[in-house]
Amino acid sequence: MDAFTPYLMPLVYALLVLQALDLATTLYVLRKGTGAEGNPLARKLMAWFGPELGLALPKIALAGAIWTFRASTPAWAYSLLCVMYVVIVANNLKFALRTKP
């Protein structure tokens, strides 16, 4: 049994919230002009669909996958993803606090 199993649903919810925070902070940084999207796929989608939809599409797809496979994915994997997204959101906030060059 996975040691994180009792925390599965809180981790799933935390990951979904972190996805929304990543979207919001990325859009803020892009609008403020103090950073750029680092993900090449997201950059391509932004070029095709605009920043809001281009960034939202991968988030919606990932949120759907997270929700669909929540019972079969080990909780430790969600823990690692949460840590990764905390780092991403923290990095976005670092750029959000920068002044324009």
Side-chain angles (χ1 to χ4, degrees):
M1 181 168 164
D2 187 350
F4 293 101
T5 300
Y7 306 104
L8 177 66
M9 288 313 293
L11 287 168
V12 168
Y13 293 134
L15 190 52
L16 294 172
V17 168
L18 286 164
Q19 289 288 305
L21 287 172
D22 179 27
L23 175 63
T25 56
T26 300
L27 285 172
Y28 179 79
V29 166
L30 291 173
R31 288 183 182 137
K32 188 175 176 190
T34 55
E37 175 57 51
N39 181 332
L41 173 62
R43 280 196 308 262
K44 185 66 110 174
L45 290 170
M46 287 169 49
W48 289 340
F49 300 110
E52 292 83 6
L53 187 57
L55 287 172
L57 287 174
K59 302 289 177 208
I60 292 167
L62 184 55
I66 289 166
W67 192 256
T68 300
F69 299 109
R70 69 189 180 279
S72 60
T73 303
W76 62 263
Y78 288 122
S79 298
L80 290 176
L81 284 169
C82 283
V83 169
M84 183 181 83
Y85 273 96
V86 164
V87 170
I88 290 169
V89 171
N91 187 58
N92 287 350
L93 291 172
K94 180 183 77 169
F95 280 96
L97 295 173
R98 281 187 176 175
T99 57
K100 263 188 166 177

Coordinates of all heavy atoms in Angstrom, one line a residue:
M1 N 0.8 -1.2 0.0 CA 0.0 0.0 0.0 C 0.9 1.2 0.0 O 1.9 1.3 0.7 CB -0.9 0.0 1.2 CG -1.8 1.2 1.3 SD -3.1 0.8 2.6 CE -3.7 2.4 2.9
D2 N 0.5 2.2 -0.8 CA 1.3 3.5 -0.9 C 1.1 4.3 0.4 O 0.0 4.4 0.9 CB 0.7 4.2 -2.1 CG 1.4 5.5 -2.5 OD1 2.3 5.9 -1.7 OD2 1.1 6.1 -3.5
A3 N 2.2 4.8 0.9 CA 2.2 5.5 2.1 C 1.4 6.8 2.0 O 0.9 7.3 3.0 CB 3.6 5.9 2.6
F4 N 1.2 7.3 0.8 CA 0.5 8.5 0.6 C -1.0 8.3 0.3 O -1.8 9.3 0.1 CB 1.1 9.3 -0.6 CG 2.4 9.8 -0.3 CD1 3.5 9.2 -0.9 CD2 2.6 11.0 0.4 CE1 4.8 9.6 -0.6 CE2 3.9 11.5 0.6 CZ 5.0 10.8 0.1
T5 N -1.5 7.1 0.3 CA -2.9 6.8 -0.1 C -3.9 7.5 0.6 O -4.9 8.0 0.0 CB -3.1 5.2 0.0 OG1 -2.2 4.6 -0.9 CG2 -4.5 4.9 -0.4
P6 N -3.8 7.7 2.0 CA -4.8 8.5 2.7 C -4.9 10.0 2.2 O -5.9 10.7 2.4 CB -4.4 8.5 4.1 CG -3.5 7.4 4.3 CD -2.8 7.2 2.9
Y7 N -3.8 10.4 1.5 CA -3.8 11.8 1.1 C -4.1 11.9 -0.4 O -3.9 13.0 -1.0 CB -2.4 12.4 1.4 CG -2.0 12.2 2.8 CD1 -1.1 11.2 3.2 CD2 -2.5 13.0 3.8 CE1 -0.7 11.1 4.5 CE2 -2.2 12.9 5.1 CZ -1.3 11.9 5.5 OH -0.9 11.7 6.8
L8 N -4.6 10.9 -1.0 CA -4.8 10.9 -2.5 C -5.7 12.1 -2.9 O -5.3 12.9 -3.7 CB -5.3 9.6 -3.0 CG -5.7 9.6 -4.5 CD1 -4.4 9.7 -5.3 CD2 -6.4 8.3 -4.9
M9 N -6.9 12.1 -2.4 CA -7.8 13.2 -2.9 C -7.3 14.6 -2.5 O -7.4 15.5 -3.3 CB -9.2 12.9 -2.4 CG -9.9 11.7 -3.1 SD -9.7 11.7 -4.9 CE -10.7 13.1 -5.3
P10 N -6.8 14.8 -1.3 CA -6.3 16.2 -1.1 C -5.1 16.5 -2.0 O -5.0 17.7 -2.5 CB -5.8 16.1 0.4 CG -6.6 15.1 1.0 CD -6.8 14.0 -0.1
L11 N -4.3 15.6 -2.4 CA -3.3 15.8 -3.4 C -3.8 16.1 -4.8 O -3.3 17.0 -5.5 CB -2.3 14.6 -3.4 CG -1.4 14.5 -2.3 CD1 -0.7 13.1 -2.3 CD2 -0.3 15.6 -2.2
V12 N -4.9 15.4 -5.1 CA -5.5 15.6 -6.4 C -6.1 17.1 -6.4 O -5.9 17.8 -7.4 CB -6.6 14.6 -6.7 CG1 -7.5 15.0 -7.9 CG2 -6.0 13.2 -6.9
Y13 N -6.8 17.4 -5.4 CA -7.4 18.8 -5.3 C -6.3 19.8 -5.3 O -6.4 20.9 -6.0 CB -8.3 18.9 -4.1 CG -9.5 18.1 -4.2 CD1 -9.9 17.3 -3.1 CD2 -10.3 18.0 -5.3 CE1 -11.1 16.6 -3.1 CE2 -11.4 17.3 -5.4 CZ -11.8 16.5 -4.3 OH -13.0 15.8 -4.4
A14 N -5.2 19.6 -4.5 CA -4.1 20.5 -4.5 C -3.5 20.7 -5.9 O -3.1 21.8 -6.3 CB -3.0 20.1 -3.5
L15 N -3.3 19.6 -6.6 CA -2.7 19.7 -7.9 C -3.6 20.5 -8.9 O -3.2 21.3 -9.7 CB -2.5 18.3 -8.5 CG -1.7 18.2 -9.8 CD1 -0.4 19.0 -9.7 CD2 -1.4 16.7 -10.1
L16 N -4.9 20.3 -8.8 CA -5.9 21.1 -9.6 C -5.8 22.6 -9.3 O -5.8 23.4 -10.2 CB -7.3 20.5 -9.5 CG -7.5 19.1 -10.0 CD1 -8.9 18.6 -9.6 CD2 -7.3 19.0 -11.5
V17 N -5.7 22.9 -8.0 CA -5.5 24.3 -7.6 C -4.2 24.9 -8.1 O -4.2 26.0 -8.6 CB -5.7 24.4 -6.1 CG1 -5.2 25.8 -5.6 CG2 -7.1 24.1 -5.6
L18 N -3.1 24.1 -8.0 CA -1.9 24.5 -8.5 C -1.9 24.8 -10.0 O -1.2 25.7 -10.5 CB -0.8 23.5 -8.1 CG -0.4 23.6 -6.7 CD1 0.4 22.3 -6.3 CD2 0.4 24.8 -6.3
Q19 N -2.6 24.0 -10.7 CA -2.8 24.2 -12.2 C -3.4 25.5 -12.4 O -3.0 26.3 -13.3 CB -3.7 23.1 -12.8 CG -3.0 21.7 -12.9 CD -2.0 21.7 -13.9 OE1 -2.2 22.0 -15.1 NE2 -0.8 21.3 -13.5
A20 N -4.5 25.9 -11.7 CA -5.1 27.1 -11.8 C -4.2 28.3 -11.5 O -4.2 29.3 -12.1 CB -6.4 27.2 -11.0
L21 N -3.4 28.1 -10.4 CA -2.5 29.1 -10.0 C -1.4 29.3 -11.0 O -1.0 30.5 -11.3 CB -1.9 28.8 -8.6 CG -2.8 29.0 -7.4 CD1 -2.1 28.4 -6.2 CD2 -3.1 30.4 -7.2
D22 N -1.0 28.3 -11.7 CA 0.0 28.4 -12.7 C -0.5 29.2 -13.9 O 0.1 30.0 -14.4 CB 0.5 27.0 -13.2 CG 1.5 27.0 -14.3 OD1 2.2 28.0 -14.4 OD2 1.5 26.0 -15.1
L23 N -1.7 28.9 -14.3 CA -2.4 29.6 -15.4 C -2.5 31.1 -15.0 O -2.1 31.9 -15.8 CB -3.8 29.0 -15.7 CG -4.6 29.7 -16.7 CD1 -3.9 29.7 -18.1 CD2 -6.0 29.1 -16.8
A24 N -3.0 31.4 -13.8 CA -3.2 32.8 -13.4 C -1.9 33.5 -13.4 O -1.8 34.7 -13.9 CB -4.0 32.8 -12.1
T25 N -0.9 32.9 -12.7 CA 0.4 33.7 -12.6 C 1.1 33.8 -13.9 O 1.7 34.8 -14.2 CB 1.3 33.0 -11.5 OG1 1.5 31.6 -11.9 CG2 0.7 33.1 -10.1
T26 N 1.0 32.8 -14.8 CA 1.6 32.9 -16.1 C 1.0 34.0 -16.9 O 1.7 34.8 -17.5 CB 1.5 31.6 -16.8 OG1 2.2 30.6 -16.1 CG2 2.2 31.7 -18.2
L27 N -0.3 34.1 -16.9 CA -1.0 35.1 -17.6 C -0.7 36.5 -17.1 O -0.5 37.5 -17.8 CB -2.5 34.9 -17.6 CG -3.1 33.8 -18.5 CD1 -4.6 33.6 -18.2 CD2 -2.8 34.2 -20.0
Y28 N -0.6 36.6 -15.8 CA -0.2 37.9 -15.1 C 1.2 38.3 -15.6 O 1.4 39.5 -16.0 CB -0.3 37.8 -13.6 CG 0.1 39.0 -12.9 CD1 -0.7 40.1 -12.8 CD2 1.4 39.2 -12.4 CE1 -0.4 41.3 -12.2 CE2 1.8 40.4 -11.8 CZ 0.9 41.4 -11.7 OH 1.3 42.6 -11.1
V29 N 2.1 37.4 -15.6 CA 3.5 37.7 -15.9 C 3.6 38.1 -17.4 O 4.3 39.0 -17.8 CB 4.5 36.5 -15.6 CG1 5.8 36.7 -16.3 CG2 4.6 36.4 -14.1
L30 N 2.8 37.4 -18.3 CA 2.8 37.7 -19.7 C 2.2 39.1 -19.9 O 2.8 39.9 -20.7 CB 2.0 36.7 -20.5 CG 2.7 35.3 -20.6 CD1 1.7 34.3 -21.2 CD2 4.0 35.4 -21.3
R31 N 1.1 39.4 -19.2 CA 0.5 40.7 -19.4 C 1.4 41.9 -18.9 O 1.4 42.9 -19.4 CB -0.8 40.8 -18.7 CG -1.9 39.9 -19.5 CD -3.2 40.0 -18.9 NE -4.1 39.2 -19.6 CZ -5.0 38.4 -19.1 NH1 -5.1 38.3 -17.7 NH2 -5.8 37.6 -19.8
K32 N 2.1 41.6 -17.8 CA 2.9 42.6 -17.2 C 4.2 42.8 -18.0 O 4.8 43.8 -18.0 CB 3.3 42.1 -15.7 CG 4.0 43.2 -15.0 CD 4.3 42.7 -13.5 CE 5.1 43.7 -12.8 NZ 5.5 43.2 -11.5
G33 N 4.6 41.8 -18.8 CA 5.8 41.9 -19.6 C 7.1 41.6 -18.9 O 8.1 42.0 -19.4
T34 N 7.0 40.9 -17.8 CA 8.2 40.6 -17.0 C 8.7 39.2 -17.2 O 9.7 38.8 -16.5 CB 8.0 40.9 -15.5 OG1 6.9 40.1 -15.1 CG2 7.8 42.4 -15.3
G35 N 8.1 38.4 -18.1 CA 8.6 37.1 -18.3 C 7.9 36.5 -19.6 O 7.1 37.2 -20.2
A36 N 8.3 35.3 -19.9 CA 7.8 34.6 -21.1 C 7.4 33.2 -20.8 O 7.9 32.6 -19.8 CB 8.8 34.7 -22.2
E37 N 6.6 32.6 -21.6 CA 6.2 31.2 -21.4 C 7.4 30.3 -21.7 O 8.0 30.5 -22.8 CB 5.0 30.8 -22.3 CG 4.7 29.4 -22.3 CD 4.4 28.8 -20.9 OE1 3.5 29.5 -20.2 OE2 4.9 27.8 -20.5
G38 N 7.8 29.4 -20.9 CA 9.0 28.6 -21.1 C 8.6 27.3 -21.8 O 9.5 26.6 -22.3
N39 N 7.4 26.9 -21.8 CA 7.0 25.6 -22.4 C 6.8 25.8 -23.9 O 5.9 26.5 -24.3 CB 5.7 25.1 -21.7 CG 5.2 23.8 -22.3 OD1 5.4 23.4 -23.4 ND2 4.5 23.1 -21.4
P40 N 7.6 25.1 -24.7 CA 7.4 25.3 -26.2 C 6.1 24.9 -26.7 O 5.6 25.6 -27.7 CB 8.5 24.4 -26.8 CG 9.2 23.7 -25.7 CD 8.6 24.2 -24.4
L41 N 5.4 23.9 -26.2 CA 4.1 23.5 -26.6 C 3.1 24.6 -26.3 O 2.3 25.0 -27.1 CB 3.7 22.2 -26.0 CG 2.2 21.7 -26.3 CD1 2.0 21.5 -27.8 CD2 1.9 20.5 -25.5
A42 N 3.2 25.1 -25.1 CA 2.3 26.2 -24.7 C 2.5 27.4 -25.6 O 1.5 28.1 -25.9 CB 2.4 26.5 -23.2
R43 N 3.7 27.7 -25.9 CA 4.0 28.9 -26.8 C 3.4 28.7 -28.1 O 2.8 29.6 -28.7 CB 5.5 29.1 -26.9 CG 6.2 29.8 -25.8 CD 7.6 30.3 -26.1 NE 8.4 29.2 -26.7 CZ 9.4 28.5 -26.1 NH1 9.5 28.7 -24.8 NH2 10.1 27.7 -26.7
K44 N 3.4 27.5 -28.7 CA 2.8 27.2 -30.0 C 1.3 27.3 -29.9 O 0.7 28.0 -30.7 CB 3.2 25.8 -30.4 CG 2.7 25.4 -31.8 CD 3.4 26.2 -32.8 CE 4.3 25.4 -33.6 NZ 4.9 26.1 -34.8
L45 N 0.7 26.8 -28.8 CA -0.7 26.9 -28.6 C -1.1 28.4 -28.4 O -2.2 28.8 -28.9 CB -1.2 26.1 -27.4 CG -1.1 24.6 -27.7 CD1 -1.4 23.8 -26.3 CD2 -2.1 24.1 -28.7
M46 N -0.3 29.2 -27.7 CA -0.6 30.6 -27.6 C -0.6 31.3 -28.9 O -1.4 32.2 -29.1 CB 0.4 31.2 -26.6 CG 0.2 30.8 -25.2 SD 1.5 31.3 -24.1 CE 1.8 33.0 -24.5
A47 N 0.4 30.9 -29.8 CA 0.4 31.6 -31.1 C -0.8 31.2 -31.9 O -1.3 32.1 -32.7 CB 1.7 31.1 -31.8
W48 N -1.3 30.0 -31.8 CA -2.5 29.6 -32.5 C -3.8 30.2 -32.0 O -4.7 30.6 -32.7 CB -2.6 28.1 -32.6 CG -1.6 27.4 -33.5 CD1 -0.9 28.0 -34.5 CD2 -1.2 26.1 -33.4 NE1 0.0 27.0 -35.0 CE2 -0.2 25.8 -34.4 CE3 -1.6 25.0 -32.6 CZ2 0.4 24.6 -34.6 CZ3 -1.0 23.8 -32.8 CH2 0.0 23.6 -33.8
F49 N -4.0 30.1 -30.6 CA -5.2 30.4 -30.0 C -5.3 31.7 -29.1 O -6.3 32.0 -28.5 CB -5.7 29.2 -29.1 CG -5.9 27.9 -29.9 CD1 -5.0 26.9 -29.7 CD2 -6.9 27.8 -30.8 CE1 -5.1 25.7 -30.4 CE2 -7.0 26.6 -31.5 CZ -6.2 25.6 -31.3
G50 N -4.1 32.3 -29.0 CA -4.1 33.5 -28.1 C -3.6 33.0 -26.7 O -3.6 31.8 -26.4
P51 N -3.1 33.9 -25.9 CA -2.5 33.5 -24.6 C -3.5 32.8 -23.6 O -3.1 31.8 -23.0 CB -2.0 34.8 -24.0 CG -2.5 35.9 -24.8 CD -3.1 35.4 -26.1
E52 N -4.7 33.3 -23.5 CA -5.6 32.7 -22.5 C -6.0 31.2 -22.9 O -5.8 30.3 -22.1 CB -6.9 33.5 -22.4 CG -6.7 34.8 -21.7 CD -6.2 35.9 -22.7 OE1 -6.2 35.7 -23.9 OE2 -5.9 37.0 -22.2
L53 N -6.5 31.0 -24.1 CA -6.9 29.7 -24.5 C -5.7 28.8 -24.7 O -5.7 27.6 -24.4 CB -7.8 29.8 -25.8 CG -8.4 28.5 -26.2 CD1 -9.2 27.9 -25.1 CD2 -9.2 28.7 -27.5
G54 N -4.6 29.4 -25.3 CA -3.4 28.6 -25.5 C -2.8 28.0 -24.2 O -2.3 26.9 -24.2
L55 N -2.9 28.8 -23.2 CA -2.4 28.3 -21.9 C -3.4 27.4 -21.2 O -3.1 26.5 -20.5 CB -2.0 29.5 -21.0 CG -0.8 30.2 -21.3 CD1 -0.6 31.5 -20.4 CD2 0.5 29.3 -21.1
A56 N -4.7 27.7 -21.4 CA -5.7 26.9 -20.7 C -5.9 25.5 -21.3 O -6.2 24.6 -20.5 CB -7.1 27.7 -20.8
L57 N -5.7 25.4 -22.6 CA -6.0 24.0 -23.2 C -5.1 22.9 -22.5 O -5.7 21.9 -22.2 CB -5.7 24.1 -24.7 CG -6.8 24.8 -25.5 CD1 -6.4 25.0 -26.9 CD2 -8.2 24.1 -25.4
P58 N -3.8 23.1 -22.4 CA -3.0 22.0 -21.8 C -3.4 21.8 -20.3 O -3.4 20.7 -19.8 CB -1.6 22.5 -21.9 CG -1.5 23.7 -22.6 CD -2.9 24.2 -22.9
K59 N -3.8 22.9 -19.6 CA -4.2 22.8 -18.2 C -5.5 22.0 -18.1 O -5.7 21.2 -17.2 CB -4.4 24.2 -17.6 CG -3.2 25.1 -17.6 CD -2.2 24.6 -16.7 CE -1.0 25.4 -16.7 NZ 0.2 24.7 -16.4
I60 N -6.5 22.3 -19.0 CA -7.7 21.5 -19.0 C -7.5 20.1 -19.3 O -8.0 19.2 -18.7 CB -8.7 22.2 -20.1 CG1 -9.1 23.6 -19.6 CG2 -9.9 21.3 -20.3 CD1 -9.8 24.4 -20.6
A61 N -6.6 19.8 -20.3 CA -6.3 18.4 -20.6 C -5.6 17.7 -19.5 O -6.0 16.5 -19.1 CB -5.4 18.4 -21.9
L62 N -4.7 18.4 -18.8 CA -4.0 17.7 -17.6 C -5.0 17.6 -16.5 O -5.0 16.5 -15.8 CB -2.8 18.6 -17.2 CG -2.0 18.0 -16.1 CD1 -1.5 16.6 -16.4 CD2 -0.8 18.9 -15.8
A63 N -5.8 18.5 -16.2 CA -6.8 18.4 -15.2 C -7.8 17.2 -15.5 O -8.1 16.5 -14.5 CB -7.6 19.7 -15.0
G64 N -8.2 17.1 -16.7 CA -9.0 15.9 -17.1 C -8.3 14.6 -16.9 O -8.9 13.6 -16.3
A65 N -7.0 14.5 -17.2 CA -6.2 13.3 -17.0 C -6.0 13.0 -15.5 O -6.2 11.9 -15.0 CB -4.9 13.4 -17.7
I66 N -5.8 14.1 -14.7 CA -5.6 13.9 -13.3 C -6.9 13.3 -12.7 O -6.8 12.4 -11.9 CB -5.3 15.3 -12.6 CG1 -3.8 15.7 -13.0 CG2 -5.4 15.2 -11.1 CD1 -3.5 17.2 -12.7
W67 N -8.0 13.9 -13.1 CA -9.3 13.5 -12.5 C -9.6 12.1 -13.0 O -10.1 11.2 -12.2 CB -10.4 14.5 -12.8 CG -11.6 14.2 -12.0 CD1 -12.8 13.6 -12.5 CD2 -11.8 14.4 -10.7 NE1 -13.7 13.5 -11.4 CE2 -13.1 14.0 -10.3 CE3 -11.0 15.0 -9.7 CZ2 -13.6 14.1 -9.0 CZ3 -11.5 15.1 -8.4 CH2 -12.8 14.7 -8.1
T68 N -9.4 11.8 -14.3 CA -9.8 10.5 -14.8 C -9.0 9.4 -14.2 O -9.5 8.3 -13.9 CB -9.6 10.5 -16.4 OG1 -10.4 11.5 -16.9 CG2 -9.9 9.2 -17.0
F69 N -7.7 9.6 -14.0 CA -6.8 8.5 -13.6 C -6.4 8.6 -12.1 O -5.5 8.0 -11.6 CB -5.5 8.5 -14.4 CG -5.8 8.3 -15.8 CD1 -5.6 9.3 -16.8 CD2 -6.2 7.0 -16.3 CE1 -5.9 9.1 -18.1 CE2 -6.5 6.8 -17.6 CZ -6.3 7.8 -18.5
R70 N -7.2 9.4 -11.3 CA -6.9 9.6 -9.9 C -6.9 8.3 -9.1 O -6.1 8.2 -8.2 CB -7.9 10.6 -9.3 CG -9.3 10.2 -9.1 CD -10.2 11.3 -8.7 NE -11.6 10.8 -8.6 CZ -12.4 10.7 -9.6 NH1 -12.1 10.9 -10.8 NH2 -13.7 10.3 -9.4
A71 N -7.7 7.4 -9.4 CA -7.8 6.1 -8.6 C -6.7 5.2 -9.0 O -6.3 4.4 -8.1 CB -9.1 5.5 -8.8
S72 N -6.2 5.3 -10.2 CA -5.1 4.3 -10.6 C -3.7 4.9 -10.5 O -2.8 4.1 -10.8 CB -5.4 3.8 -12.0 OG -5.4 4.9 -12.9
T73 N -3.6 6.1 -10.3 CA -2.3 6.8 -10.2 C -1.8 6.8 -8.7 O -2.6 7.2 -7.8 CB -2.3 8.2 -10.7 OG1 -2.8 8.2 -12.0 CG2 -0.9 8.9 -10.7
P74 N -0.6 6.3 -8.4 CA -0.2 6.3 -7.0 C -0.1 7.7 -6.5 O 0.3 8.7 -7.2 CB 1.2 5.7 -7.1 CG 1.6 5.6 -8.5 CD 0.4 5.8 -9.3
A75 N -0.4 7.9 -5.2 CA -0.5 9.2 -4.6 C 0.9 9.8 -4.6 O 1.0 11.1 -4.6 CB -1.0 9.1 -3.1
W76 N 2.0 9.0 -4.5 CA 3.3 9.6 -4.5 C 3.6 10.4 -5.8 O 4.3 11.4 -5.8 CB 4.4 8.6 -4.3 CG 4.5 7.5 -5.3 CD1 4.0 6.3 -5.2 CD2 5.2 7.6 -6.6 NE1 4.3 5.6 -6.4 CE2 5.0 6.3 -7.2 CE3 5.9 8.6 -7.2 CZ2 5.5 6.1 -8.5 CZ3 6.4 8.3 -8.5 CH2 6.2 7.1 -9.1
A77 N 3.0 9.9 -6.9 CA 3.1 10.6 -8.2 C 2.5 12.0 -8.1 O 3.0 13.0 -8.6 CB 2.5 9.8 -9.3
Y78 N 1.3 12.1 -7.5 CA 0.6 13.4 -7.3 C 1.5 14.3 -6.4 O 1.5 15.5 -6.6 CB -0.8 13.2 -6.8 CG -1.7 12.6 -7.8 CD1 -2.4 11.5 -7.6 CD2 -1.9 13.3 -9.0 CE1 -3.3 11.0 -8.5 CE2 -2.8 12.8 -10.0 CZ -3.5 11.6 -9.7 OH -4.3 11.1 -10.7
S79 N 2.1 13.7 -5.4 CA 3.0 14.4 -4.5 C 4.1 15.1 -5.3 O 4.4 16.3 -5.1 CB 3.6 13.5 -3.4 OG 2.6 13.0 -2.6
L80 N 4.7 14.3 -6.1 CA 5.8 14.8 -6.9 C 5.3 15.9 -7.9 O 6.0 17.0 -8.1 CB 6.5 13.7 -7.7 CG 7.3 12.7 -6.9 CD1 7.9 11.6 -7.8 CD2 8.5 13.4 -6.2
L81 N 4.2 15.7 -8.5 CA 3.6 16.8 -9.4 C 3.3 18.0 -8.6 O 3.5 19.1 -9.1 CB 2.4 16.2 -10.1 CG 2.6 15.3 -11.2 CD1 1.3 14.6 -11.7 CD2 3.3 16.0 -12.4
C82 N 2.8 17.9 -7.4 CA 2.5 19.1 -6.6 C 3.8 19.8 -6.3 O 3.8 21.1 -6.4 CB 1.8 18.7 -5.3 SG 0.1 18.2 -5.4
V83 N 4.8 19.1 -5.9 CA 6.1 19.8 -5.6 C 6.6 20.5 -6.9 O 7.0 21.7 -6.8 CB 7.2 18.8 -5.1 CG1 8.5 19.4 -5.1 CG2 6.8 18.3 -3.8
M84 N 6.5 19.9 -8.0 CA 6.9 20.5 -9.3 C 6.1 21.8 -9.6 O 6.6 22.8 -9.9 CB 6.7 19.5 -10.5 CG 7.2 20.0 -11.8 SD 6.9 18.8 -13.1 CE 5.2 19.2 -13.5
Y85 N 4.8 21.7 -9.4 CA 4.0 22.9 -9.7 C 4.1 24.0 -8.6 O 3.9 25.1 -8.9 CB 2.5 22.5 -9.9 CG 2.3 22.1 -11.3 CD1 2.3 20.8 -11.8 CD2 2.1 23.1 -12.3 CE1 2.2 20.5 -13.1 CE2 2.0 22.8 -13.6 CZ 2.0 21.5 -14.0 OH 1.9 21.2 -15.4
V86 N 4.5 23.6 -7.4 CA 4.8 24.7 -6.4 C 6.0 25.4 -6.9 O 6.0 26.7 -6.8 CB 5.0 24.1 -5.0 CG1 5.7 25.0 -4.1 CG2 3.6 23.6 -4.4
V87 N 7.0 24.7 -7.4 CA 8.2 25.4 -7.9 C 7.8 26.3 -9.1 O 8.3 27.4 -9.2 CB 9.3 24.3 -8.2 CG1 10.4 25.0 -9.0 CG2 9.8 23.6 -7.0
I88 N 7.0 25.8 -10.0 CA 6.6 26.5 -11.2 C 5.9 27.8 -10.7 O 6.2 28.9 -11.2 CB 5.8 25.7 -12.1 CG1 6.6 24.6 -12.8 CG2 5.1 26.5 -13.2 CD1 5.9 23.6 -13.5
V89 N 4.9 27.7 -9.8 CA 4.1 28.9 -9.4 C 5.1 29.8 -8.7 O 5.0 31.1 -8.9 CB 3.0 28.4 -8.5 CG1 2.3 29.6 -7.9 CG2 1.9 27.7 -9.4
A90 N 6.0 29.3 -7.8 CA 6.9 30.2 -7.2 C 7.8 31.0 -8.2 O 8.1 32.2 -8.0 CB 7.8 29.4 -6.2
N91 N 8.2 30.3 -9.2 CA 9.0 30.9 -10.2 C 8.2 32.0 -11.0 O 8.7 33.1 -11.2 CB 9.5 29.9 -11.2 CG 10.5 30.5 -12.3 OD1 11.5 31.0 -11.9 ND2 10.1 30.4 -13.5
N92 N 6.9 31.7 -11.2 CA 6.0 32.7 -11.8 C 5.9 33.9 -10.9 O 5.9 35.1 -11.4 CB 4.7 32.1 -12.1 CG 4.7 31.1 -13.3 OD1 5.6 31.0 -14.0 ND2 3.6 30.4 -13.4
L93 N 5.8 33.7 -9.7 CA 5.6 34.8 -8.7 C 6.9 35.6 -8.7 O 6.9 36.9 -8.5 CB 5.3 34.3 -7.3 CG 3.9 33.7 -7.2 CD1 3.7 33.1 -5.8 CD2 2.8 34.8 -7.4
K94 N 8.1 35.0 -8.8 CA 9.3 35.7 -8.8 C 9.3 36.7 -10.0 O 9.7 37.8 -9.9 CB 10.5 34.7 -8.9 CG 11.9 35.4 -9.0 CD 13.0 34.3 -9.2 CE 13.0 33.9 -10.6 NZ 14.1 33.1 -11.0
F95 N 8.9 36.2 -11.2 CA 8.8 37.0 -12.4 C 7.7 38.1 -12.2 O 7.9 39.2 -12.7 CB 8.5 36.2 -13.6 CG 9.7 35.6 -14.2 CD1 10.1 34.2 -13.8 CD2 10.6 36.2 -15.0 CE1 11.2 33.6 -14.3 CE2 11.8 35.7 -15.5 CZ 12.1 34.3 -15.2
A96 N 6.6 37.8 -11.5 CA 5.6 38.7 -11.3 C 6.0 39.9 -10.5 O 5.6 41.1 -10.6 CB 4.4 38.1 -10.6
L97 N 7.0 39.7 -9.5 CA 7.5 40.7 -8.7 C 8.6 41.6 -9.3 O 9.0 42.6 -8.7 CB 8.0 40.1 -7.4 CG 6.9 39.5 -6.5 CD1 7.5 38.7 -5.3 CD2 5.8 40.5 -6.1
R98 N 9.1 41.1 -10.4 CA 10.1 41.9 -11.1 C 9.5 43.2 -11.7 O 8.3 43.3 -12.0 CB 10.7 41.1 -12.3 CG 11.6 40.1 -12.0 CD 12.2 39.5 -13.2 NE 13.3 38.6 -12.9 CZ 13.9 37.8 -13.7 NH1 13.6 37.9 -15.0 NH2 14.8 37.0 -13.3
T99 N 10.4 44.2 -11.9 CA 10.0 45.4 -12.6 C 10.4 45.2 -14.0 O 11.4 44.5 -14.3 CB 10.6 46.6 -12.0 OG1 12.1 46.4 -12.0 CG2 10.1 46.9 -10.6
K100 N 9.7 45.9 -14.9 CA 10.1 45.8 -16.3 C 11.5 46.3 -16.6 O 11.9 47.3 -16.0 CB 9.1 46.6 -17.2 CG 8.0 45.8 -17.8 CD 7.2 46.7 -18.7 CE 6.3 45.9 -19.6 NZ 5.5 46.7 -20.5
P101 N 12.2 45.5 -17.4 CA 13.6 46.0 -17.7 C 13.7 47.3 -18.5 O 12.8 47.7 -19.1 CB 14.2 44.8 -18.5 CG 13.1 43.9 -18.9 CD 11.9 44.3 -18.1

